[in-house]
Amino acid sequence: MTDNFFDIVAARFPADADTSFIELESGRRYSYGDLMEISGRYARLLTGLGVAKGDRVAVQVEKSPEAVFLYLACLRAGAAYLPLNTAYTKAEVGYFLGDAEPKVFVCTPASEAALAETARAAGVGALLTLGGDGDGSLAERAAGLDPAFDTVPCAADDLAAILYTSGTTGRSKGAMLSHRNLSSNAATLHRIWGFRPDDVLLHALPIFHTHGLFVATNCVLMNGSGMLFLPRFDADAVFRLLPRATVMMGVPTFYTRLLADPRLTPAAAAHMRLFISGSAPLLADTHREFRERTGHAILERYGMTETGMLTSNPLDGDRIPGTVGFPLPKVSVRVADEKTGEPVPDGDVGVLEVKGPNVFSGYWRMPEKTAQEIRPGGWFITGDVGRIDARGYVHIIGRAKDLVISGGFNVYPKEVETVIDAIDGVVESAVIGIPHPDFGEAVMAVVLKRPRRAGGTVDEAAVIGACKEQLANFKVPKAVAFVDELPRNAMGKVQKALLRETYKDRFGR
Ligand code: AMP
């Protein structure tokens, strides 16, 4: 057996090839035998197209079982799997193809005509299509091929995938992930989250992102068990499937949507063993309400595209609302001064730096960026601001680039958000810095309140009043806006850059 991540999981697949791997809402089922055969055919097709070890295969397709088999086929062929967010436009896809120079690009049948020229201009060798129902030229061309395929041996350091970061500032960067990065993280998560042979995972996340692909899918592969696969989060479907599932992984918005539904009861969640949340901060209130409504304490964890998962609340032990738990086994987390990189005193706030077998080797063709973000000793600068409390729990305070500097004073948005979120009638808030003629930046609060009928009578005076009572004056918002919805990306992260842009002229140009 080699260090190819596929070999590692395949060695653990169930002896009975008929064991279910993916089941769709329609009832359609794919077994581990199907996984071996379809990924084998796809791998044969890719190598037939000249894909060799280390070649990139870029993929922008709808979520489907076949898309998972394509991911596995890339691993088997020794290629680097490069999934792209389905929301990316033609221009964005053009950038990724030009940057990564994939040998093969797989898009949907519907976007083939629009992307053919883009792919040709980027020098892509072959363009294939894959539809949401498993249709398209990839499947057609693979159909007659021999499913037996010898997985290409790979070393632990060989490239397994490139995931582009969401790129909220500047160009999106391709994080290079090795077979070791994937296997070390999957083995750890599988163990610490106590996966059992009969676990069934409810999968409603996108699979172009580390959460749905490497956390959720790889845990299932490590476990050799099955998942109920939804194209996207849909509360009706989730309530239908919860009685058959035991584990769900979600972003915080999944949980707030479930909480908004009267069907969320202890009975609805009775079959579940574990609810996990990540990719964006889970409000402490959401954690508490979910526990009151279902008896389940959501297990919150923290990670990034570049590092896989880094910390997790414990399976056995206190899952503390508002914290992301302890560093994972073999993962080191330290809190450092942003400028000097020196570790700060215990308990102080600083930038989180991490090290471990899960941490990526660098950004694709960006050695300078890599050098800026990975210190010579191997510590990767996450850009997340946080602290570690006396019990060892990690708290995330925000992104370093979201820090507001008003009149020369540092304001951590999370501190102000916590005060505002505690006001009766407030659902959630996002605190940002906007240009201000006197202060450089002014603190601004964008607030989502409960509908009036549900007691949402909060106004600007109430927000300012609560902040004045609890915070130093320079942290008190100089502007407050009320919105019906906070803008979020596909992973449920509040898009602060968008809010800063929206309100940038509030105090004049
Ligand atoms: P991505 O690379 O898209 O997975 O985004 C990684 C970023 O998401 C991290 O650097 C954090 O800022 C944020 N993030 C992930 N999980 C959490 C969490 N549990 N709490 C707060 N922020 C999180």
Side-chain angles (χ1 to χ4, degrees):
M1 191 172 95
T2 76
D3 289 319
N4 187 316
F5 177 61
F6 185 85
D7 282 336
I8 290 173
V9 288
R12 309 171 54 102
F13 286 171
D16 178 3
D18 196 39
T19 306
S20 187
F21 171 48
I22 293 183
E23 192 180 319
L24 303 178
E25 255 238 297
S26 63
R28 181 141 192 210
R29 206 176 71 87
Y30 295 79
S31 66
Y32 273 86
D34 296 328
L35 176 165
M36 287 305 292
E37 291 197 0
I38 303 174
S39 68
R41 285 199 189 94
Y42 288 3
R44 190 169 289 281
L45 176 67
L46 293 175
T47 49
L49 289 167
V51 171
K53 205 164 156 176
D55 283 341
R56 281 75 57 209
V57 175
V59 177
Q60 188 189 35
V61 298
E62 299 300 332
K63 180 176 176 180
S64 69
E66 287 76 10
V68 175
F69 300 140
L70 178 56
Y71 154 56
L72 298 174
C74 289
L75 294 176
R76 296 187 74 177
Y81 182 65
L82 195 167
L84 293 170
N85 190 327
T86 40
Y88 284 140
T89 61
K90 187 166 143 177
E92 287 166 323
V93 170
Y95 163 72
F96 294 119
L97 298 182
D99 190 51
E101 298 187 297
K103 185 137 271 156
V104 173
F105 174 43
V106 185
C107 65
T108 64
S111 58
E112 184 180 17
L115 291 173
E117 175 53 27
T118 311
R120 200 200 52 78
V124 172
L127 178 64
L128 296 172
T129 63
L130 181 64
D133 298 326
D135 48 325
S137 62
L138 171 89
E140 280 159 27
R141 291 175 63 174
L145 300 178
D146 181 357
F149 181 86
D150 290 332
T151 295
V152 173
C154 284
D157 285 324
D158 286 342
L159 189 60
I162 298 181
L163 259 60
Y164 278 84
T165 59
S166 34
T168 39
T169 48
R171 294 226 112 160
S172 189
K173 297 164 284 187
M176 297 190 285
L177 297 161
S178 66
H179 288 270
R180 177 189 285 109
N181 294 151
L182 304 192
S183 53
S184 67
N185 220 222
T188 297
L189 298 178
H190 176 258
R191 192 176 76 247
I192 66 158
W193 290 341
F195 271 90
R196 305 171 185 168
D198 58 351
D199 266 327
V200 176
L201 183 119
L202 179 48
H203 195 305
L205 292 159
I207 54 169
F208 52 73
H209 185 270
T210 185
H211 194 167
L213 188 63
F214 297 146
V215 187
T217 307
N218 285 359
C219 271
V220 169
L221 289 164
M222 276 309 260
N223 200 42
S225 57
M227 51 183 166
L228 306 172
F229 213 57
L230 291 175
R232 66 192 62 80
F233 180 86
D234 169 59
D236 292 341
V238 168
F239 282 111
R240 269 197 300 276
L241 295 176
L242 278 180
R244 295 184 48 217
T246 59
V247 180
M248 185 174 92
M249 297 187 191
V251 296
T253 29
F254 286 16
Y255 294 105
T256 51
R257 286 192 210 158
L258 292 178
L259 277 169
D261 198 303
R263 287 173 289 183
L264 187 72
T265 59
H271 193 254
M272 291 293 290
R273 176 174 79 77
L274 188 59
F275 288 96
I276 302 176
S277 177
S279 283
L282 182 77
L283 293 179
D285 272 353
T286 307
H287 190 284
R288 288 191 202 102
E289 279 174 40
F290 201 86
R291 189 168 202 164
E292 278 160 24
R293 288 272 292 280
T294 65
H296 282 277
I298 299 171
L299 183 153
E300 184 170 10
R301 94 306 179 272
Y302 153 69
M304 303 179 75
T305 300
E306 289 93 329
T307 62
M309 296 305 101
L310 293 162
T311 73
S312 172
N313 269 281
L315 183 68
D316 301 310
D318 287 344
R319 301 180 197 159
I320 308 223
T323 81
V324 294
F326 306 114
L328 299 180
K330 300 202 191 113
V331 175
S332 310
V333 178
R334 70 176 189 187
V335 186
D337 180 275
E338 191 181 355
K339 292 201 186 72
T340 63
E342 287 300 313
V344 301
D346 284 352
D348 278 12
V349 169
V351 174
L352 300 179
E353 298 190 357
V354 300
K355 203 166 146 169
N358 51 315
V359 175
F360 77 138
S361 57
Y363 294 111
W364 173 256
R365 290 183 180 162
M366 285 189 177
E368 321 76 43
K369 281 268 181 245
T370 302
Q372 276 165 18
E373 296 186 25
I374 304 182
R375 297 191 188 281
W379 291 96
F380 170 64
I381 307 168
T382 62
D384 288 312
V385 176
R387 65 182 174 87
I388 303 180
D389 70 20
R391 292 175 64 187
Y393 285 83
V394 176
H395 299 238
I396 311 276
I397 315 250
R399 294 287 299 163
K401 61 177 190 296
D402 290 334
L403 180 77
V404 184
I405 305 180
S406 188
F409 293 109
N410 288 0
V411 182
Y412 293 111
K414 178 77 180 277
E415 195 186 352
V416 186
E417 288 160 4
T418 306
V419 171
I420 300 175
D421 292 351
I423 300 173
D424 202 25
V426 168
V427 178
E428 194 177 359
S429 62
V431 166
I432 52 170
I434 51 170
H436 188 282
D438 279 344
F439 299 103
E441 270 188 311
V443 176
M444 172 166 189
V446 184
V447 180
L448 175 66
K449 59 178 176 184
R450 274 205 187 100
R452 189 167 284 277
R453 58 186 154 72
T457 51
V458 200
D459 56 9
E460 177 159 352
V463 171
I464 305 281
C467 291
K468 279 204 166 142
E469 213 177 283
Q470 296 176 62
L471 298 168
N473 228 339
F474 66 91
K475 298 178 189 168
V476 176
K478 296 195 171 53
V480 180
F482 291 94
V483 292
D484 295 330
E485 206 174 343
L486 290 169
R488 293 177 190 278
N489 71 8
M491 299 312 293
K493 292 186 220 292
V494 174
Q495 293 173 298
K496 289 201 166 175
L498 205 70
L499 289 176
R500 283 191 287 264
E501 181 59 28
T502 307
Y503 297 106
K504 69 178 188 309
D505 296 331
R506 188 84 172 203
F507 291 104
R509 272 168 211 276

